[in-house]
Amino acid sequence: MELKVISDAAGAPGGGCASSGCGAGGEKLAHLPEAIRAKINNHPCFSDDAHHHYARMHVAVAPACNIQCHYCNRKYDCSNESRPGVVSEVLTPDQAVKKVVAVAAAIPQMTVLGIAGPGDPLANPQRTLETFRQLSEKAPDIKLCVSTNGLALPGLVDEICKHNIEHVTITINCVDPDVGAKIYPWIFWNNRRVTGRKAAEILIAQQQEGLEMLVARGVLVKVNSVLIPGVNAEHLKEVSRVVKAKGAFLHNVMPLIAEPEHGTFYGLMGQRGPTNEELSALQDACAGDMAMMRHCRQCRADAVGMLGEDRGDEFKLDKLSEQEIDYAAAMARRAEVHAAIEASRAAQRNASSETFVSIASLTRRRPTRPEPRRVLMAVATTGGGLINQHFGHAREFLVYEASANDVRFIGHRKVDLYCSGDETCGDGETVLAKTIRVLDGCEVVLCSRIGYEPWGQLEAAGIAPNGEHAMEPIEDAVAVVYREMGEAGLLERSGGTAHRMSA
Ligand code: CLF
Ligand code: SF4
């Protein structure tokens, strides 16, 4: 048995990583035609690997919504809150186009423009479609992407195709109206408000019809589902099965965000969100039916930058220069940057495809022993698919699972910033304690550097800090550490942790 490490997802000539659960990667996509792989190769949401290299941005041109979800409260001017529906400013289509052009020139890695709110983009069709129309003319190198609850979708499929929108996300939380009635108190339909089970029935029918129409026209459809414990948790397996059968490309099961301070029905009622384990288990269960997205950051409706970062403040309207941007020149520069990124990804793929980390010797030496256990490792990274971030600077950790068969990305965990300069140093211990709690279940933390104090506290908590693989590709480093754990006898089912290796 050997541990094979392939770092790329969509773009790998041989079919991407061997994982069954890594977003739009994995051997399940190997059968895809080249044209589809080309569509997702630099889309940070539709391809797991792309999210290490490329950025997305949203423009908040769609304030209205035609339904109510129990988990939603649209908020303005909350720069510290990162969740869907929150924005700092609603833009007109002209303002949005100006902003997109400015961001595209300043952040050449930005490949996708999405419209995702703060309401429902298709409940604001003129504003949404006018933005797309202008952008498809002015910035043809930017992919267009839209996210919708699906209620108005069937009537707008032709328009979506006309504007060359190749990626559509439909949020589908149920296919059973009885479940839907617990999530949606009302919809606005044919100029009147419809409530209860009937509302859910109409919404579900529209979503399913819209999905089928888009698939028939060759548009890539991702389905987002919000996991609401006790409401639709078990039911989402059926949702996954149904949307897969209808041709959805990818399923993104996201955790419910519900806090009383958000002012949502669920938040005020004390409805809890899922634990990391519940989310991961459900994603695994759904992955039996279709490719799963696990790297979603549930971003704001005006997010700008790599997934997990938000540079929106740099591009607020009052900061955009009046100077006209030469987009032809910007596009040439963007093409150069994209070519450099692709060259680097190809180099990483080649290096990784030569990295076969064998643990055969371990199993051969002990043929009667069971298969080595799986190990979770947390990684601090700023992108590029590399271990390149100081532990104290991480706002989130990517979590990978290593096993005898593969290394797979399984999700991310957000943390408070442990070290952000002198002012917060006094809080360091508290924040560190929280970080350690967030990393529960991980046995190793890989980062570029780490201070003495967190090192000691992580070790005391049974998590092995590891700064030996700085600037190395993530999956390769995880595989190497896993092999070392095996060689140290730490992978037997009842065995110890990586902490014992570094102690
Ligand atoms: Fe935006 Fe959504 Fe397009 Fe991505 S986000 S419209 S598909 S460009 Fe991505 Fe953000 Fe998750 Fe959405 S990480 S919330 S899945
Ligand atoms: Fe909020 Fe979106 Fe639901 Fe509308 S569809 S209520 S904007 S979450």
Side-chain angles (χ1 to χ4, degrees):
M1 189 176 301
E2 63 190 0
L3 179 67
K4 184 177 182 182
V5 181
I6 305 176
S7 68
D8 190 27
C17 90
S19 153
S20 62
C22 64
E27 59 198 8
K28 285 179 183 161
L29 301 186
H31 62 285
L32 290 173
E34 184 54 40
I36 292 185
R37 290 207 209 173
K39 280 186 188 174
I40 65 170
N41 183 51
N42 65 358
H43 193 307
C45 303
F46 277 69
S47 160
D48 167 21
D49 185 65
H51 100 278
H52 294 298
H53 306 278
Y54 293 104
R56 57 71 184 103
M57 74 174 288
H58 290 160
V59 284
V61 295
C65 190
N66 47 8
I67 71 172
Q68 180 63 56
C69 306
H70 274 325
Y71 49 75
C72 177
N73 178 20
R74 295 187 288 288
K75 257 193 186 175
Y76 301 89
D77 277 331
C78 186
S79 59
N80 291 320
E81 207 174 306
S82 187
R83 64 180 174 85
V86 175
V87 293
S88 289
E89 53 192 3
V90 174
L91 308 178
T92 65
D94 289 348
Q95 290 168 332
V97 169
K98 187 177 174 192
K99 179 172 175 176
V100 173
V101 166
V103 172
I107 308 177
Q109 301 92 324
M110 191 277 284
T111 48
V112 178
L113 176 274
I115 300 185
D120 184 74
L122 300 187
N124 304 257
Q126 288 82 11
R127 297 170 68 93
T128 297
L129 294 169
E130 174 59 15
T131 308
F132 283 139
R133 188 194 65 74
Q134 287 193 34
L135 281 171
S136 60
E137 285 172 9
K138 282 196 183 162
D141 63 332
I142 296 176
K143 287 184 193 300
L144 304 178
C145 190
V146 68
S147 171
T148 177
N149 61 41
L151 183 64
L153 180 57
L156 290 167
V157 165
D158 287 345
E159 288 289 322
I160 286 172
C161 295
K162 197 168 97 190
H163 290 87
N164 209 18
I165 298 159
E166 293 180 335
H167 302 81
V168 174
T169 295
I170 314 173
T171 299
I172 300 180
N173 295 319
C174 56
V175 289
D176 176 346
D178 288 322
V179 176
K182 297 178 193 157
I183 303 171
Y184 309 104
W186 56 261
I187 65 168
F188 201 68
W189 180 245
N190 289 339
N191 299 318
R192 67 188 176 93
R193 196 171 290 233
V194 182
T195 59
R197 190 178 189 283
K198 182 68 187 164
E201 208 173 85
I202 295 167
L203 178 63
I204 291 167
Q206 290 292 102
Q207 292 171 334
Q208 297 298 319
E209 188 185 345
L211 167 60
E212 289 171 26
M213 290 173 75
L214 288 170
V215 169
R217 284 165 169 78
V219 176
L220 289 187
V221 181
K222 172 164 69 64
V223 168
N224 281 1
S225 300
V226 181
L227 168 53
I228 312 161
V231 175
N232 69 348
E234 276 304 302
H235 179 60
L236 284 183
K237 293 175 200 164
E238 172 69 359
V239 171
S240 205
R241 194 190 60 70
V242 169
V243 300
K244 163 73 187 313
K246 291 191 174 170
F249 177 74
L250 189 63
H251 193 190
N252 172 24
V253 177
M254 310 177 292
L256 171 73
I257 303 173
E259 301 295 340
E261 60 269 28
H262 297 157
T264 61
F265 177 83
Y266 281 152
L268 296 170
M269 294 300 290
Q271 168 66 53
R272 71 172 181 90
T275 62
N276 289 326
E277 291 72 27
E278 286 170 331
L279 177 65
S280 202
L282 190 77
Q283 288 171 331
D284 285 348
C286 293
D289 285 316
M290 70 186 304
M292 298 298 294
M293 175 180 187
R294 297 175 193 251
H295 58 284
C296 174
R297 301 304 201 277
Q298 294 175 281
C299 24
R300 293 164 55 103
D302 58 5
V304 175
M306 306 291 283
L307 299 193
E309 76 172 1
D310 193 355
R311 298 177 58 182
D313 275 353
E314 296 170 42
F315 299 97
K316 282 193 175 161
L317 275 186
D318 58 1
K319 293 186 183 150
L320 297 184
S321 138
E322 282 308 317
Q323 205 182 340
E324 201 59 32
I325 288 173
D326 178 351
Y327 197 74
M331 208 154 69
R333 162 92 183 113
R334 286 166 54 76
E336 280 171 23
V337 170
H338 296 179
I341 290 172
E342 288 308 310
S344 150
R345 288 174 86 184
Q348 276 185 27
R349 275 198 297 275
N350 289 339
S352 290
S353 63
E354 289 166 11
T355 308
F356 287 79
V357 183
S358 172
I359 60 167
S361 57
L362 296 173
T363 47
R364 266 204 306 272
R365 272 206 306 266
R366 300 172 231 165
T368 55
R369 296 282 170 89
E371 185 173 297
R373 66 192 174 83
R374 293 162 183 264
V375 172
L376 296 186
M377 302 190 201
V379 175
T381 175
T382 59
L386 303 174
I387 296 168
N388 55 6
Q389 192 171 37
H390 190 299
F391 175 84
H393 297 167
R395 284 186 178 274
E396 65 171 16
F397 290 89
L398 305 192
V399 177
Y400 286 77
E401 182 189 74
S403 72
N405 301 312
D406 64 9
V407 169
R408 64 176 193 142
F409 171 74
I410 62 164
H412 70 284
R413 305 219 186 140
K414 284 194 175 127
V415 295
D416 292 337
L417 199 55
Y418 169 58
C419 173
S420 57
D422 294 344
E423 297 149 29
T424 57
C425 272
D427 297 335
E429 266 187 66
T430 314
V431 176
L432 180 56
K434 275 195 228 161
T435 301
I436 289 172
R437 236 191 348 269
V438 165
L439 295 179
D440 182 45
C442 298
E443 296 182 35
V444 179
V445 174
L446 291 152
C447 53
S448 62
R449 290 184 61 195
I450 182 168
Y452 179 76
E453 185 190 337
W455 181 287
Q457 291 198 34
L458 281 165
E459 277 201 334
I463 303 170
N466 187 320
E468 290 169 21
H469 297 277
M471 301 313 295
E472 290 180 17
I474 294 170
E475 287 92 342
D476 291 12
V478 169
V480 168
V481 172
Y482 185 73
R483 182 192 60 191
E484 289 168 355
M485 288 178 71
E487 287 166 353
L490 300 176
L491 296 180
E492 289 159 33
R493 298 242 159 233
S494 56
T497 67
H499 165 232
R500 279 176 28 198
M501 193 168 68
S502 68

